Structures are given as structure tokens and as C-alpha cells.
Amino acid sequence: EMDRMEVHHAFSVAEYHSSKRPIRRYRLEGGHLTMVPVGNAKYFSSVEQFFREAFLPEGYPDSVSDDYLTYQKWDTLQAFCSSITGTLATHAVLTGVGVGNDKATAAAATMTWLLKDGAGMIGRITFTWLQGSDLDCNAKKWRFIADIVNDGALFLELISPLFPALFLPILCAASVAKAIVGVAGGATRAALTQHQARRNNMADVSAKDGSQETLVNLSALLVGLILAPLITDNQMLVWLLFAVFTILHLFCNYQAVACVKMEMFNRRRLHLLLKHYFRTGEMLTPAKVNQQEPILTGIVRFLSYELGSELHKVITSRCSLSQLSCGREKLYLVNLLSRQHKGNYMRNILLIGLSCSLHFST
């Protein structure tokens, strides 16, 4: 973007890079082009410009996906709610390990904390082993599941002081749940960042997301400082706040993942696209497919795939047989069959590879 200003027989040029602050200035006078130094200090003409440069990716909105702002709004609200409920849970855990209790010892608290962390580490490894490959293709589903599990972990931490005899097992279970949240939340966040970054700027989008989350956590910390003296010895208020902010947390999370318009196929989106195409002949846009994609529930399968099918299943007519007997450039044959199952028509895609020589006799 070039901004020119004529001054007699000389003019200056200011160079911008997706912001209102020039990064270089040039001056052309008397046939000579010279670069005018620009100070390294950042000058902000308004509060809006400061927040734009500090918390939004460079080049916004052109450098991110269309659903970026909507997602970030809901994600910010859910992060604030999660921080508040986390404050309530931390208060309960510290009470359970003996903070403020003269009979509690530092050694006992240390052992409890180490066992809790150890259980979380085992849970992290186990969950990654079982579900690691599914996190990328079903990012929206696991993002929402992670927040549900997080609320469940906070609930366990809240009730842990109420059962002194079971305090350690409950705390370990909460730690395992939080480990699952860490794996699922981190992995799906990376997938969503890859979707949002449109100018090979994943690092910038991720860094600005971290800044937004830090600001939200700071705001929640200030609110937590106000709530801390109010919730002491007031269990009714604790559970009321936990219920309200948990409901808001889940609602904001659902809205956040529902607004994401992923442009890559997973099994659910492929089924929805093919189902609509076979029924109407119309190809849905990515936005419409994402609107129909269920977040948690499965989909009714109308299509099945059979790779490496038996030859007699693929060859159903003399025409398909002649296709094999004649020279073929493609080393596979695909056939589409329809059958009725429980009142619904199912379509089977049969695929056979022709990696071997076929001989026909008459």
C-alpha cells in the first residue's frame, strides 16, 4: 500500500505492511531516491490500533479464515468461564491437601501432589496411544469433548475435599482427565490454527491466540481475587458459581466449534457430501457441509467401502468383464452397488486392484 504526497517537485512514499504504521519511508527529490529513517518504537494512534496489532494476526482479516473472528469471540468467552471454574476447583484442592490445617504436613501434601501428577502422565501417554490419530481429522469433535472432560475434572476436584478417605483417588482421576484435556485440546488447537492460517502464518496466529488467552486469564484472575474471600466457607455460592459458569462454558464451546468451516474432508463430512450428492445431484459447499456435521453424535451410514473386493463382486456384467479383458491404463476397477438395509438404501463402493496379470479363455 503506497501513500504519496507531492511537495513542490519532490514527493515521499510510505510503505505499509498490513497495518496503519509505516515501516519505511522514501523521498524522491531532484532525481535521487533516499530512504528516510523510521523509528523502531511503536506509536499507537488509538486503543483500537493497539489491540489490533497486539492480539490479531498480521494482515487481519485477509491473513486468516472467514470464521476466525467468530470462533475467537466464543473461544475467549469459554476461556474466561473455564478460568473462573478453575479458580473454584483450585481453592477446593488446596483445602483438601491441608492448606490452613495445622494437622497437615508438607510431606503428605508433596506425596499427594506427586501421585496426582504421575497419574496424569500415565493418562496422557495412554490417551495419545489410543486416540492420537483421530484428533486431527475430528478436530471439532475432540475440541468439544476436551472441554466436557475438563469440566468433569473440575467437578471431581470440587468434591474431593468432601470425601477425605477418597481424596487421593479422586484427585488422581481428575489429573488423568486433565491430561486427556491437555492432549486433545492442544492437538485440536493446532489443527484449528492450521485451518485459520491462510498466509503460511501459523506461528503468528498461534502466538496471537496465546496473547488473547493470556489476557483472558488475567481478567479471570482479577475476578478470582474478588471471589476468593466470598467463597471461603460458602459452599452454596461455590456450587452456584460452578453451575452457572460451567453451563456458559459448554454453550460457548459448542458455538465456537459449530462456527468452524473446515475445508478438508473427514469421514463425517465425506458421508454428508456424498449422501446429498447421490440424492439430489447437487454438490454442497464446505460451509453447508460443516453446518450439517454433528459435533458429538454419529451419522447414519448410507455408504460403505470395500477395498480389495472379490472379483465376482465387482464383475457383475459382460460389460465390466470386457473392461478387464481389454487393455486398461488404470490398475483398478470401481463398481457402485445399491442395496436396501432396514428400509434405507445403502450404496457399496467396491474397489479391486489389478496388480496381477489376468488371463481369459473362451
Side-chain angles (χ1 to χ4, degrees), residues 82-303:
S82 180
S83 296
I84 296 298
T85 53
T87 301
L88 301 176
T90 301
H91 178 272
V93 171
L94 293 177
T95 302
V97 296
V99 174
N101 187 353
D102 296 335
K103 297 181 180 180
T105 63
T110 302
M111 291 298 296
T112 300
W113 215 263
L114 290 176
L115 290 173
K116 174 185 77 70
D117 290 345
M121 294 174 187
I122 296 174
R124 177 184 294 268
I125 295 173
T126 304
F127 178 75
T128 304
W129 168 51
L130 294 175
Q131 297 292 343
S133 60
D134 193 47
L135 298 176
D136 187 55
C137 56
N138 291 312
K140 295 197 291 185
K141 166 190 170 183
W142 283 109
R143 180 70 178 178
F144 190 55
I145 290 178
D147 290 293
I148 295 176
V149 175
N150 182 66
D151 289 334
L154 297 177
F155 173 77
L156 290 175
E157 291 182 344
L158 273 177
I159 66 172
S160 58
L162 303 179
F163 303 94
L166 299 175
F167 177 76
L168 183 57
I170 293 176
L171 202 60
C172 289
S175 181
V176 171
K178 283 193 171 183
I180 294 174
V181 173
V183 175
T188 54
R189 183 56 202 159
L192 293 174
T193 301
Q194 184 179 21
H195 158 72
Q196 292 173 338
R198 295 305 167 93
R199 290 184 178 176
N200 295 323
N201 57 339
M202 277 189 62
D204 185 30
V205 173
S206 180
K208 295 303 171 60
D209 180 70
S211 296
Q212 295 170 21
E213 186 174 356
T214 302
L215 180 63
V216 172
N217 291 336
L218 180 61
S219 303
L221 178 64
L222 297 176
V223 176
L225 291 175
I226 298 174
L227 292 177
L230 300 178
I231 62 177
T232 304
D233 299 327
N234 192 343
Q235 288 297 313
M236 183 174 293
L237 179 60
V238 169
W239 286 106
L240 177 62
L241 291 174
F242 179 77
V244 171
F245 281 103
T246 298
I247 293 173
L248 289 175
H249 176 241
L250 293 177
F251 174 77
C252 293
N253 262 295
Y254 183 84
Q255 295 297 327
V257 296
C259 76
V260 175
K261 302 178 180 63
M262 303 293 284
E263 297 171 350
M264 300 294 292
F265 278 128
N266 62 3
R267 182 171 296 179
R268 294 182 176 191
R269 290 190 285 272
L270 178 61
H271 270 276
L272 291 171
L273 180 71
L274 294 178
K275 181 179 180 180
H276 188 272
Y277 178 75
F278 283 138
R279 289 182 175 179
T280 66
E282 177 189 3
M283 191 67 67
L284 292 175
T285 63
K288 292 183 179 180
V289 173
N290 278 269
Q291 288 176 358
Q292 298 180 15
E293 180 186 10
I295 303 300
L296 287 178
T297 59
I299 56 176
V300 178
R301 295 189 60 184
F302 81 106
L303 191 67

Side-chain angles (χ1 to χ4, degrees), residues 66-84:
D66 295 336
D67 53 17
Y68 175 82
L69 185 60
T70 305
Y71 175 83
Q72 292 302 125
K73 287 179 179 178
W74 288 112
D75 188 59
T76 298
L77 292 174
Q78 70 85 18
F80 179 81
C81 296
S82 180
S83 296
I84 296 298

Side-chain angles (χ1 to χ4, degrees), residues 304-310 334 349-353:
S304 64
Y305 311 91
E306 187 174 327
L307 304 179
S309 178
E310 298 177 10
V334 179
I349 295 180
L350 307 179
L351 176 64
I352 182 173

